[in-house]
Amino acid sequence: MIIELPPKVWRPKQQNKYIPLDYGDDIHDGHFDFKEYGNTVFRPAEQIWNRGERVDIIKFEESKHAVKLNKGLSAEIKQQVKNIVIKFWDSFCEEGARRTIIGYEFAIDTGDSKPICCKRPNYGPYEAEIIMKQLKALLNNDWIELCFGAWGSSIVLAAKPHQEHVLDIEDFIWRMCVSYRKLNSVTKPFQYPIHRCDDTITIMIVGTNFVWIITVDARQGYHQVSVRRADRGKLAFFAPDHKKYCFKVMPFGPTNAPSFYTCMMHQLRDEWEILFILKFQAILTIGGELISISDTDEITIGDTLLYRGSRVIIDDILLWASNLQIVLLYFECVCEVFQKYRVSFRLDKCNFLKDRVEYVGHDLTPTGNCPAKSKYKMIDNWTLPTNGRALHSFMSLINFYHHYPPFMEMRLKPMRLLYRKYLRKDIPLMAWRPQLIELFQDIK
């Protein structure tokens, strides 16, 4: 028997009738930087953020504030660093970190996509207690607000890493995260390039010259960046108290957040590099020797070429120079730019002129670089991998430090063959031949 179906009737596709909320001039009162990469870095209008001297600068008061620097500095150098910190105290004080950065706002470009809202999750009693405790902290910092828009995401709890020693569940530390996977699926990507960590380390090669190193860390990071008002509703999430909140500051989770922050920090870096050249041109001598600067910004002190530079990895800033006064001038320029845009440092994580500084997994010393000392014990205690995943973790860690041991890729070849054979399997003990075990210990 043949069943005949009626012909399919063509119907026009229903148009998207979603109209975003109207926030007046908030959407158009400004412009986007790097539009060739995407509409993510929003710059408010000039009269809002470029006002010259700020009127809300927090001054240092000896009765209220204290400057704690790292140990190992001589009295003279310590006083010079302290004077710079006090001069730009607005960028180091804790109360200043709650204010948002001037001149930059995070935008989320979803095009003409319809709002995506997940089903309101059912949080358990233990889970809800942890979430509400962290929500109250976000409300006290004025980082979230009530939201009534059409977008919505769910909250998930992620365990803080390296808690293997915790035995009691009550002592376990959880971090509140919002799952923005559905929002990210309709967000247009911001394709700003992010530098590799090893590029920052290898470019700091200065031969046999002694270098002075300063590393600084931005406080709060993402949470100091405002979200454009027209896009705050897209960051909405459901809370256990049957309300919906949205972030006023940039959270962790949106797909373009790392690219945006990298782009912003690189723009600030370009500004403090220009400021450094302008200030340096006003200096005639250093240590009784004449200084000169070429058209390519190469600096010489007497007959000696000066090595100097700055690099940024997300919120970690590295400054170095082969002259003490130059690296302090560099640091002062960074502080001046940060104070202009109301960016905050975390003073307890800043390292001033130490003999050994850990930076993105490497230890930087005035005479050269090496793997981080904090990783020695972890590598030394690494047991023989029993499955392909554990072996891959070990090879990935070793590959991160491939600059230091010679011919590392060639030496890892037997292990890579073993990994391919037992990709998703347990590695039997007999597969670890004596040559492989000796290679494993030798690489450690």
Side-chain angles (χ1 to χ4, degrees), residues 220-250:
Q220 302 298 350
Y222 286 13
H223 291 341
Q224 267 211 290
V225 180
S226 294
V227 178
R228 193 172 66 145
R229 190 182 172 198
D231 295 324
R232 290 179 184 176
K234 299 174 184 178
L235 298 174
F237 56 89
F238 293 99
D241 58 355
H242 306 287
K243 296 179 181 179
K244 193 159 66 170
Y245 298 90
C246 66
F247 276 96
K248 299 170 65 176
V249 296
M250 187 170 70

PDB file of all heavy atoms in Angstrom, residues 220-250:
ATOM      1  N   GLN A 220      42.377  42.633  41.409  1.00  0.00           N
ATOM      2  CA  GLN A 220      41.025  42.291  40.953  1.00  0.00           C
ATOM      3  C   GLN A 220      40.974  41.902  39.474  1.00  0.00           C
ATOM      4  O   GLN A 220      40.165  41.080  39.079  1.00  0.00           O
ATOM      5  CB  GLN A 220      40.041  43.455  41.198  1.00  0.00           C
ATOM      6  CG  GLN A 220      39.936  43.908  42.634  1.00  0.00           C
ATOM      7  CD  GLN A 220      39.413  42.837  43.575  1.00  0.00           C
ATOM      8  OE1 GLN A 220      38.956  41.793  43.149  1.00  0.00           O
ATOM      9  NE2 GLN A 220      39.517  43.087  44.859  1.00  0.00           N
ATOM     10  N   GLY A 221      41.810  42.480  38.628  1.00  0.00           N
ATOM     11  CA  GLY A 221      41.826  42.108  37.222  1.00  0.00           C
ATOM     12  C   GLY A 221      40.503  42.392  36.532  1.00  0.00           C
ATOM     13  O   GLY A 221      40.109  43.542  36.339  1.00  0.00           O
ATOM     14  N   TYR A 222      39.796  41.313  36.157  1.00  0.00           N
ATOM     15  CA  TYR A 222      38.556  41.444  35.397  1.00  0.00           C
ATOM     16  C   TYR A 222      37.528  42.315  36.119  1.00  0.00           C
ATOM     17  O   TYR A 222      36.790  43.078  35.493  1.00  0.00           O
ATOM     18  CB  TYR A 222      37.930  40.066  35.151  1.00  0.00           C
ATOM     19  CG  TYR A 222      38.634  39.238  34.103  1.00  0.00           C
ATOM     20  CD1 TYR A 222      39.888  39.579  33.625  1.00  0.00           C
ATOM     21  CD2 TYR A 222      38.037  38.095  33.582  1.00  0.00           C
ATOM     22  CE1 TYR A 222      40.529  38.812  32.672  1.00  0.00           C
ATOM     23  CE2 TYR A 222      38.663  37.329  32.622  1.00  0.00           C
ATOM     24  CZ  TYR A 222      39.909  37.689  32.176  1.00  0.00           C
ATOM     25  OH  TYR A 222      40.540  36.932  31.222  1.00  0.00           O
ATOM     26  N   HIS A 223      37.440  42.183  37.446  1.00  0.00           N
ATOM     27  CA  HIS A 223      36.380  42.853  38.189  1.00  0.00           C
ATOM     28  C   HIS A 223      36.580  44.362  38.312  1.00  0.00           C
ATOM     29  O   HIS A 223      35.752  45.037  38.920  1.00  0.00           O
ATOM     30  CB  HIS A 223      36.248  42.244  39.590  1.00  0.00           C
ATOM     31  CG  HIS A 223      35.708  40.845  39.572  1.00  0.00           C
ATOM     32  ND1 HIS A 223      35.023  40.337  38.498  1.00  0.00           N
ATOM     33  CD2 HIS A 223      35.749  39.850  40.495  1.00  0.00           C
ATOM     34  CE1 HIS A 223      34.662  39.088  38.755  1.00  0.00           C
ATOM     35  NE2 HIS A 223      35.097  38.772  39.952  1.00  0.00           N
ATOM     36  N   GLN A 224      37.645  44.904  37.729  1.00  0.00           N
ATOM     37  CA  GLN A 224      37.808  46.350  37.700  1.00  0.00           C
ATOM     38  C   GLN A 224      37.302  46.948  36.396  1.00  0.00           C
ATOM     39  O   GLN A 224      37.322  48.166  36.221  1.00  0.00           O
ATOM     40  CB  GLN A 224      39.278  46.730  37.901  1.00  0.00           C
ATOM     41  CG  GLN A 224      39.642  47.009  39.355  1.00  0.00           C
ATOM     42  CD  GLN A 224      40.746  48.031  39.474  1.00  0.00           C
ATOM     43  OE1 GLN A 224      41.889  47.777  39.138  1.00  0.00           O
ATOM     44  NE2 GLN A 224      40.398  49.207  39.965  1.00  0.00           N
ATOM     45  N   VAL A 225      36.834  46.115  35.486  1.00  0.00           N
ATOM     46  CA  VAL A 225      36.367  46.583  34.177  1.00  0.00           C
ATOM     47  C   VAL A 225      34.843  46.612  34.165  1.00  0.00           C
ATOM     48  O   VAL A 225      34.194  45.618  34.492  1.00  0.00           O
ATOM     49  CB  VAL A 225      36.880  45.661  33.049  1.00  0.00           C
ATOM     50  CG1 VAL A 225      36.382  46.157  31.693  1.00  0.00           C
ATOM     51  CG2 VAL A 225      38.395  45.591  33.065  1.00  0.00           C
ATOM     52  N   SER A 226      34.265  47.743  33.788  1.00  0.00           N
ATOM     53  CA  SER A 226      32.808  47.868  33.695  1.00  0.00           C
ATOM     54  C   SER A 226      32.287  47.154  32.449  1.00  0.00           C
ATOM     55  O   SER A 226      32.973  47.075  31.432  1.00  0.00           O
ATOM     56  CB  SER A 226      32.402  49.339  33.640  1.00  0.00           C
ATOM     57  OG  SER A 226      32.703  50.006  34.841  1.00  0.00           O
ATOM     58  N   VAL A 227      31.071  46.663  32.562  1.00  0.00           N
ATOM     59  CA  VAL A 227      30.371  46.109  31.415  1.00  0.00           C
ATOM     60  C   VAL A 227      29.475  47.200  30.834  1.00  0.00           C
ATOM     61  O   VAL A 227      28.823  47.942  31.582  1.00  0.00           O
ATOM     62  CB  VAL A 227      29.528  44.884  31.811  1.00  0.00           C
ATOM     63  CG1 VAL A 227      28.752  44.343  30.612  1.00  0.00           C
ATOM     64  CG2 VAL A 227      30.415  43.799  32.387  1.00  0.00           C
ATOM     65  N   ARG A 228      29.463  47.327  29.514  1.00  0.00           N
ATOM     66  CA  ARG A 228      28.600  48.326  28.885  1.00  0.00           C
ATOM     67  C   ARG A 228      27.155  48.096  29.315  1.00  0.00           C
ATOM     68  O   ARG A 228      26.669  46.963  29.338  1.00  0.00           O
ATOM     69  CB  ARG A 228      28.720  48.233  27.358  1.00  0.00           C
ATOM     70  CG  ARG A 228      28.116  49.417  26.644  1.00  0.00           C
ATOM     71  CD  ARG A 228      28.417  49.378  25.171  1.00  0.00           C
ATOM     72  NE  ARG A 228      27.776  48.251  24.510  1.00  0.00           N
ATOM     73  CZ  ARG A 228      27.296  48.306  23.255  1.00  0.00           C
ATOM     74  NH1 ARG A 228      27.377  49.424  22.568  1.00  0.00           N
ATOM     75  NH2 ARG A 228      26.761  47.245  22.717  1.00  0.00           N
ATOM     76  N   ARG A 229      26.476  49.170  29.666  1.00  0.00           N
ATOM     77  CA  ARG A 229      25.145  49.045  30.254  1.00  0.00           C
ATOM     78  C   ARG A 229      24.182  48.282  29.353  1.00  0.00           C
ATOM     79  O   ARG A 229      23.340  47.518  29.822  1.00  0.00           O
ATOM     80  CB  ARG A 229      24.597  50.447  30.546  1.00  0.00           C
ATOM     81  CG  ARG A 229      23.329  50.446  31.373  1.00  0.00           C
ATOM     82  CD  ARG A 229      22.823  51.855  31.588  1.00  0.00           C
ATOM     83  NE  ARG A 229      21.518  51.830  32.214  1.00  0.00           N
ATOM     84  CZ  ARG A 229      20.676  52.845  32.214  1.00  0.00           C
ATOM     85  NH1 ARG A 229      21.025  53.964  31.606  1.00  0.00           N
ATOM     86  NH2 ARG A 229      19.509  52.774  32.807  1.00  0.00           N
ATOM     87  N   ALA A 230      24.296  48.468  28.040  1.00  0.00           N
ATOM     88  CA  ALA A 230      23.394  47.787  27.113  1.00  0.00           C
ATOM     89  C   ALA A 230      23.613  46.286  27.069  1.00  0.00           C
ATOM     90  O   ALA A 230      22.735  45.551  26.608  1.00  0.00           O
ATOM     91  CB  ALA A 230      23.576  48.372  25.712  1.00  0.00           C
ATOM     92  N   ASP A 231      24.764  45.798  27.572  1.00  0.00           N
ATOM     93  CA  ASP A 231      25.091  44.371  27.500  1.00  0.00           C
ATOM     94  C   ASP A 231      25.048  43.679  28.859  1.00  0.00           C
ATOM     95  O   ASP A 231      25.337  42.483  28.937  1.00  0.00           O
ATOM     96  CB  ASP A 231      26.484  44.184  26.887  1.00  0.00           C
ATOM     97  CG  ASP A 231      26.541  44.650  25.441  1.00  0.00           C
ATOM     98  OD1 ASP A 231      25.542  44.468  24.738  1.00  0.00           O
ATOM     99  OD2 ASP A 231      27.576  45.208  25.031  1.00  0.00           O
ATOM    100  N   ARG A 232      24.721  44.397  29.914  1.00  0.00           N
ATOM    101  CA  ARG A 232      24.717  43.772  31.244  1.00  0.00           C
ATOM    102  C   ARG A 232      23.653  42.692  31.362  1.00  0.00           C
ATOM    103  O   ARG A 232      23.851  41.680  32.032  1.00  0.00           O
ATOM    104  CB  ARG A 232      24.501  44.845  32.320  1.00  0.00           C
ATOM    105  CG  ARG A 232      25.683  45.774  32.491  1.00  0.00           C
ATOM    106  CD  ARG A 232      25.419  46.834  33.546  1.00  0.00           C
ATOM    107  NE  ARG A 232      26.539  47.781  33.632  1.00  0.00           N
ATOM    108  CZ  ARG A 232      26.545  48.853  34.413  1.00  0.00           C
ATOM    109  NH1 ARG A 232      25.484  49.113  35.169  1.00  0.00           N
ATOM    110  NH2 ARG A 232      27.589  49.661  34.437  1.00  0.00           N
ATOM    111  N   GLY A 233      22.503  42.895  30.705  1.00  0.00           N
ATOM    112  CA  GLY A 233      21.445  41.904  30.789  1.00  0.00           C
ATOM    113  C   GLY A 233      21.837  40.559  30.214  1.00  0.00           C
ATOM    114  O   GLY A 233      21.277  39.524  30.592  1.00  0.00           O
ATOM    115  N   LYS A 234      22.813  40.529  29.293  1.00  0.00           N
ATOM    116  CA  LYS A 234      23.260  39.271  28.699  1.00  0.00           C
ATOM    117  C   LYS A 234      24.041  38.418  29.701  1.00  0.00           C
ATOM    118  O   LYS A 234      24.218  37.218  29.483  1.00  0.00           O
ATOM    119  CB  LYS A 234      24.123  39.548  27.471  1.00  0.00           C
ATOM    120  CG  LYS A 234      23.381  40.315  26.380  1.00  0.00           C
ATOM    121  CD  LYS A 234      24.297  40.709  25.236  1.00  0.00           C
ATOM    122  CE  LYS A 234      23.568  41.559  24.199  1.00  0.00           C
ATOM    123  NZ  LYS A 234      24.447  41.996  23.100  1.00  0.00           N
ATOM    124  N   LEU A 235      24.532  39.039  30.768  1.00  0.00           N
ATOM    125  CA  LEU A 235      25.303  38.321  31.785  1.00  0.00           C
ATOM    126  C   LEU A 235      24.434  37.910  32.968  1.00  0.00           C
ATOM    127  O   LEU A 235      24.947  37.646  34.051  1.00  0.00           O
ATOM    128  CB  LEU A 235      26.461  39.204  32.272  1.00  0.00           C
ATOM    129  CG  LEU A 235      27.491  39.593  31.199  1.00  0.00           C
ATOM    130  CD1 LEU A 235      28.510  40.578  31.768  1.00  0.00           C
ATOM    131  CD2 LEU A 235      28.211  38.366  30.664  1.00  0.00           C
ATOM    132  N   ALA A 236      23.125  37.862  32.766  1.00  0.00           N
ATOM    133  CA  ALA A 236      22.205  37.517  33.854  1.00  0.00           C
ATOM    134  C   ALA A 236      22.335  36.048  34.240  1.00  0.00           C
ATOM    135  O   ALA A 236      22.672  35.199  33.409  1.00  0.00           O
ATOM    136  CB  ALA A 236      20.773  37.828  33.441  1.00  0.00           C
ATOM    137  N   PHE A 237      22.063  35.763  35.516  1.00  0.00           N
ATOM    138  CA  PHE A 237      22.096  34.383  36.012  1.00  0.00           C
ATOM    139  C   PHE A 237      21.071  34.228  37.122  1.00  0.00           C
ATOM    140  O   PHE A 237      20.693  35.190  37.801  1.00  0.00           O
ATOM    141  CB  PHE A 237      23.503  34.018  36.523  1.00  0.00           C
ATOM    142  CG  PHE A 237      24.028  34.933  37.591  1.00  0.00           C
ATOM    143  CD1 PHE A 237      23.780  34.678  38.935  1.00  0.00           C
ATOM    144  CD2 PHE A 237      24.769  36.051  37.260  1.00  0.00           C
ATOM    145  CE1 PHE A 237      24.260  35.517  39.925  1.00  0.00           C
ATOM    146  CE2 PHE A 237      25.257  36.904  38.246  1.00  0.00           C
ATOM    147  CZ  PHE A 237      25.000  36.631  39.576  1.00  0.00           C
ATOM    148  N   PHE A 238      20.597  32.992  37.301  1.00  0.00           N
ATOM    149  CA  PHE A 238      19.589  32.676  38.310  1.00  0.00           C
ATOM    150  C   PHE A 238      20.268  32.359  39.646  1.00  0.00           C
ATOM    151  O   PHE A 238      21.239  31.610  39.693  1.00  0.00           O
ATOM    152  CB  PHE A 238      18.741  31.489  37.865  1.00  0.00           C
ATOM    153  CG  PHE A 238      17.881  31.774  36.664  1.00  0.00           C
ATOM    154  CD1 PHE A 238      18.285  31.366  35.402  1.00  0.00           C
ATOM    155  CD2 PHE A 238      16.683  32.447  36.805  1.00  0.00           C
ATOM    156  CE1 PHE A 238      17.500  31.618  34.295  1.00  0.00           C
ATOM    157  CE2 PHE A 238      15.891  32.714  35.700  1.00  0.00           C
ATOM    158  CZ  PHE A 238      16.300  32.309  34.442  1.00  0.00           C
ATOM    159  N   ALA A 239      19.730  32.929  40.718  1.00  0.00           N
ATOM    160  CA  ALA A 239      20.278  32.714  42.063  1.00  0.00           C
ATOM    161  C   ALA A 239      19.336  31.820  42.868  1.00  0.00           C
ATOM    162  O   ALA A 239      18.154  31.685  42.527  1.00  0.00           O
ATOM    163  CB  ALA A 239      20.469  34.058  42.763  1.00  0.00           C
ATOM    164  N   PRO A 240      19.829  31.219  43.954  1.00  0.00           N
ATOM    165  CA  PRO A 240      18.965  30.352  44.765  1.00  0.00           C
ATOM    166  C   PRO A 240      17.825  31.081  45.463  1.00  0.00           C
ATOM    167  O   PRO A 240      16.878  30.441  45.927  1.00  0.00           O
ATOM    168  CB  PRO A 240      19.945  29.754  45.792  1.00  0.00           C
ATOM    169  CG  PRO A 240      21.286  29.881  45.175  1.00  0.00           C
ATOM    170  CD  PRO A 240      21.237  31.125  44.364  1.00  0.00           C
ATOM    171  N   ASP A 241      17.881  32.426  45.582  1.00  0.00           N
ATOM    172  CA  ASP A 241      16.818  33.179  46.261  1.00  0.00           C
ATOM    173  C   ASP A 241      15.683  33.549  45.304  1.00  0.00           C
ATOM    174  O   ASP A 241      14.926  34.494  45.574  1.00  0.00           O
ATOM    175  CB  ASP A 241      17.389  34.434  46.910  1.00  0.00           C
ATOM    176  CG  ASP A 241      18.080  35.350  45.915  1.00  0.00           C
ATOM    177  OD1 ASP A 241      18.199  34.969  44.745  1.00  0.00           O
ATOM    178  OD2 ASP A 241      18.494  36.453  46.322  1.00  0.00           O
ATOM    179  N   HIS A 242      15.580  32.826  44.159  1.00  0.00           N
ATOM    180  CA  HIS A 242      14.515  33.018  43.169  1.00  0.00           C
ATOM    181  C   HIS A 242      14.570  34.395  42.515  1.00  0.00           C
ATOM    182  O   HIS A 242      13.548  34.909  42.049  1.00  0.00           O
ATOM    183  CB  HIS A 242      13.134  32.801  43.804  1.00  0.00           C
ATOM    184  CG  HIS A 242      12.991  31.480  44.499  1.00  0.00           C
ATOM    185  ND1 HIS A 242      12.880  30.283  43.821  1.00  0.00           N
ATOM    186  CD2 HIS A 242      12.975  31.166  45.828  1.00  0.00           C
ATOM    187  CE1 HIS A 242      12.783  29.288  44.686  1.00  0.00           C
ATOM    188  NE2 HIS A 242      12.844  29.796  45.905  1.00  0.00           N
ATOM    189  N   LYS A 243      15.733  35.002  42.480  1.00  0.00           N
ATOM    190  CA  LYS A 243      15.934  36.277  41.800  1.00  0.00           C
ATOM    191  C   LYS A 243      16.974  36.093  40.696  1.00  0.00           C
ATOM    192  O   LYS A 243      17.704  35.104  40.671  1.00  0.00           O
ATOM    193  CB  LYS A 243      16.393  37.358  42.781  1.00  0.00           C
ATOM    194  CG  LYS A 243      15.377  37.703  43.849  1.00  0.00           C
ATOM    195  CD  LYS A 243      15.914  38.765  44.796  1.00  0.00           C
ATOM    196  CE  LYS A 243      14.915  39.090  45.890  1.00  0.00           C
ATOM    197  NZ  LYS A 243      15.449  40.110  46.836  1.00  0.00           N
ATOM    198  N   LYS A 244      17.006  37.053  39.799  1.00  0.00           N
ATOM    199  CA  LYS A 244      17.975  37.017  38.708  1.00  0.00           C
ATOM    200  C   LYS A 244      18.870  38.248  38.816  1.00  0.00           C
ATOM    201  O   LYS A 244      18.397  39.376  38.941  1.00  0.00           O
ATOM    202  CB  LYS A 244      17.272  36.975  37.353  1.00  0.00           C
ATOM    203  CG  LYS A 244      18.192  36.627  36.207  1.00  0.00           C
ATOM    204  CD  LYS A 244      17.441  36.104  34.990  1.00  0.00           C
ATOM    205  CE  LYS A 244      16.554  37.152  34.371  1.00  0.00           C
ATOM    206  NZ  LYS A 244      16.011  36.711  33.069  1.00  0.00           N
ATOM    207  N   TYR A 245      20.180  37.999  38.786  1.00  0.00           N
ATOM    208  CA  TYR A 245      21.172  39.066  38.893  1.00  0.00           C
ATOM    209  C   TYR A 245      21.995  39.117  37.608  1.00  0.00           C
ATOM    210  O   TYR A 245      22.032  38.150  36.835  1.00  0.00           O
ATOM    211  CB  TYR A 245      22.102  38.826  40.082  1.00  0.00           C
ATOM    212  CG  TYR A 245      21.423  38.811  41.435  1.00  0.00           C
ATOM    213  CD1 TYR A 245      20.929  37.616  41.977  1.00  0.00           C
ATOM    214  CD2 TYR A 245      21.272  39.970  42.183  1.00  0.00           C
ATOM    215  CE1 TYR A 245      20.308  37.583  43.209  1.00  0.00           C
ATOM    216  CE2 TYR A 245      20.656  39.951  43.423  1.00  0.00           C
ATOM    217  CZ  TYR A 245      20.177  38.758  43.931  1.00  0.00           C
ATOM    218  OH  TYR A 245      19.568  38.736  45.159  1.00  0.00           O
ATOM    219  N   CYS A 246      22.668  40.243  37.412  1.00  0.00           N
ATOM    220  CA  CYS A 246      23.605  40.359  36.294  1.00  0.00           C
ATOM    221  C   CYS A 246      24.841  41.106  36.771  1.00  0.00           C
ATOM    222  O   CYS A 246      24.795  41.881  37.734  1.00  0.00           O
ATOM    223  CB  CYS A 246      22.974  41.070  35.098  1.00  0.00           C
ATOM    224  SG  CYS A 246      22.564  42.803  35.396  1.00  0.00           S
ATOM    225  N   PHE A 247      25.951  40.876  36.107  1.00  0.00           N
ATOM    226  CA  PHE A 247      27.223  41.491  36.478  1.00  0.00           C
ATOM    227  C   PHE A 247      27.296  42.917  35.931  1.00  0.00           C
ATOM    228  O   PHE A 247      26.958  43.179  34.778  1.00  0.00           O
ATOM    229  CB  PHE A 247      28.389  40.671  35.933  1.00  0.00           C
ATOM    230  CG  PHE A 247      28.776  39.513  36.796  1.00  0.00           C
ATOM    231  CD1 PHE A 247      28.291  38.252  36.533  1.00  0.00           C
ATOM    232  CD2 PHE A 247      29.624  39.695  37.870  1.00  0.00           C
ATOM    233  CE1 PHE A 247      28.645  37.177  37.330  1.00  0.00           C
ATOM    234  CE2 PHE A 247      29.988  38.631  38.676  1.00  0.00           C
ATOM    235  CZ  PHE A 247      29.495  37.363  38.405  1.00  0.00           C
ATOM    236  N   LYS A 248      27.776  43.831  36.785  1.00  0.00           N
ATOM    237  CA  LYS A 248      28.075  45.193  36.364  1.00  0.00           C
ATOM    238  C   LYS A 248      29.531  45.312  35.945  1.00  0.00           C
ATOM    239  O   LYS A 248      29.924  46.271  35.286  1.00  0.00           O
ATOM    240  CB  LYS A 248      27.784  46.181  37.500  1.00  0.00           C
ATOM    241  CG  LYS A 248      26.327  46.178  37.943  1.00  0.00           C
ATOM    242  CD  LYS A 248      26.120  46.970  39.220  1.00  0.00           C
ATOM    243  CE  LYS A 248      26.407  48.436  39.054  1.00  0.00           C
ATOM    244  NZ  LYS A 248      26.111  49.196  40.296  1.00  0.00           N
ATOM    245  N   VAL A 249      30.350  44.346  36.376  1.00  0.00           N
ATOM    246  CA  VAL A 249      31.762  44.301  36.007  1.00  0.00           C
ATOM    247  C   VAL A 249      32.019  43.027  35.214  1.00  0.00           C
ATOM    248  O   VAL A 249      31.206  42.099  35.230  1.00  0.00           O
ATOM    249  CB  VAL A 249      32.672  44.362  37.253  1.00  0.00           C
ATOM    250  CG1 VAL A 249      32.520  45.686  37.969  1.00  0.00           C
ATOM    251  CG2 VAL A 249      32.378  43.201  38.208  1.00  0.00           C
ATOM    252  N   MET A 250      33.146  42.978  34.540  1.00  0.00           N
ATOM    253  CA  MET A 250      33.445  41.843  33.667  1.00  0.00           C
ATOM    254  C   MET A 250      33.721  40.588  34.492  1.00  0.00           C
ATOM    255  O   MET A 250      34.655  40.566  35.291  1.00  0.00           O
ATOM    256  CB  MET A 250      34.646  42.178  32.783  1.00  0.00           C
ATOM    257  CG  MET A 250      34.939  41.123  31.729  1.00  0.00           C
ATOM    258  SD  MET A 250      36.173  41.656  30.529  1.00  0.00           S
ATOM    259  CE  MET A 250      37.648  41.657  31.544  1.00  0.00           C
TER     260      MET A 250
END
